[in-house]
Amino acid sequence: PERVANADGAREFLESYARGDDGRVVVAGAFDGDEIVGGALLLHHEPDTAAIELGCWAISGAQGMGVARAACEALIRYARRELAVERVAWRCTTANARSRALAERLGFRHEGTLRSEFMSVRSAQCEDGASPQPSGRISATIRPFGPLP
């Protein structure tokens, strides 16, 4: 998200997840000393189907340095061991090529695209009084698991 482009925005973002807002289960921050530089989160856990969603982010200065990947790997391990998850979903806008590339490096595979599923922050802040409109597509990527190694 745009609001995590700097350390203050990242800290605020992380704190909202830590409170469990909006279905969040677990959030992990990645730090460089005392500065938060990224993180990952698990949300929408469905114990009956052993499924969960994974998300991640990094501040602008830490992008491309492996921060999001390391955080994702840690939470995937946590989801498997502590939550008995068998499927992890990764959702990103179709315009976010870096996110999809990371998902693929982590072993996810694309299973479909959900049309008009994403509400753009920019469209939600219309100054002309227009109603926000769904403006994007979500690429749904799933990582199914076999037995734990």
Side-chain angles (χ1 to χ4, degrees), residues 54-112:
L54 173 68
C56 66
W57 52 273
I59 66 170
S60 299
Q63 290 180 2
M65 299 174 69
V67 170
R69 182 179 183 148
C72 287
E73 289 172 340
L75 286 189
I76 289 169
R77 283 190 305 273
Y78 176 86
R80 294 290 319 277
R81 293 186 176 126
E82 302 300 323
L83 302 175
V85 165
E86 292 296 324
R87 287 175 61 91
V88 177
W90 180 289
R91 293 166 48 129
C92 63
T93 67
T94 54
N96 193 340
R98 291 182 75 161
S99 181
R100 181 163 177 180
L102 175 56
E104 290 170 355
R105 285 193 304 275
L106 288 166
F108 288 78
R109 71 173 185 254
H110 184 255
E111 286 193 347

Side-chain angles (χ1 to χ4, degrees), residues 15-73:
E15 287 170 355
S16 75
Y17 284 96
R19 289 189 302 269
D21 295 350
D22 195 25
R24 286 140 184 131
V25 177
V26 156
V27 63
F31 293 84
D32 180 10
D34 290 335
E35 183 179 353
I36 188 161
V37 294
L41 61 133
L42 296 171
L43 62 161
H44 305 129
H45 182 217
E46 298 176 23
D48 293 343
T49 59
I52 201 160
E53 185 177 338
L54 173 68
C56 66
W57 52 273
I59 66 170
S60 299
Q63 290 180 2
M65 299 174 69
V67 170
R69 182 179 183 148
C72 287
E73 289 172 340

